[in-house]
Amino acid sequence: MYSLSEKPLISRQQIDERLESLAEEIRGEDFDIILSALTGGFIFTADLCRRIACPKLQIAFIKASSYGNGMESSGKVQISGLESLDLKGKAVLVIDDILDSGRTMLGIKEALLALGPSKVKTCVLLDKPARRAVNIEADYVGFSIGNEFVVGYGLDYANEFRTYPEIWTMRETYGQ
Ligand code: IMP
Ligand code: MG
């Protein structure tokens, strides 16, 4: 059984403030296209990209699935949505909700690099450095957090809690 923390780990106001500074950093890099990883990255992407507000910046969505249980990703990453994109010579920013083991982002990055972009950089709202199992760091990180499972603001547990506007910690509870 799991239950949510009593108060949010990261509040709406903290998210809003961090997104302003992230957007400013990203705007300076002149990306051609944002590739947003569904489903977890959709709210973060929407809130961030409207703050970047750059006329030429395009948005596309990819779906990265790694099979695993509710709280852990497996080694194998499947990516769909790249087939219709021409990324040759493009400066690409990949956006995902969270960098955990790092397998998902590494899988995305490797698949993209094979398509000949001029550069690929990565941006995540949350980073759990203590959980890393492969060698990858994100270029832009909203918040670095500890080794805890979080939900809300796009992040799910078994597809639930995505619509909560702040980030909550999910704790294991015993006895029921
Ligand atoms: P990784 O491949 O282990 O880095 O896992 C990345 C994916 O696992 C993310 O895109 C999320 O969908 C999911 N994930 C990892 N940690 C959490 C968490 O704390 N809450 C919700 N989803 C998570
Ligand atoms: Mg997920």
Side-chain angles (χ1 to χ4, degrees), residues 38-40 70 97-98 154-156 162:
L38 294 170
T39 304
D97 52 0
I98 190 165
L155 291 110
D156 73 302
R162 287 196 202 275

Side-chain angles (χ1 to χ4, degrees), residues 37 40-41 64 66 70-74 77 96-105 126 128 131-132 145 148-151 155-157 162:
S66 68
M71 289 197 172
E72 195 110 27
S73 74
S74 71
V77 181
D96 201 0
D97 52 0
I98 190 165
L99 198 58
D100 186 36
S101 73
R103 290 187 186 103
T104 304
M105 194 56 107
L126 302 171
K128 293 198 267 191
R131 295 260 309 162
R132 204 76 81 251
I145 63 172
E148 49 201 344
F149 195 85
V150 289
V151 295
L155 291 110
D156 73 302
Y157 171 67
R162 287 196 202 275

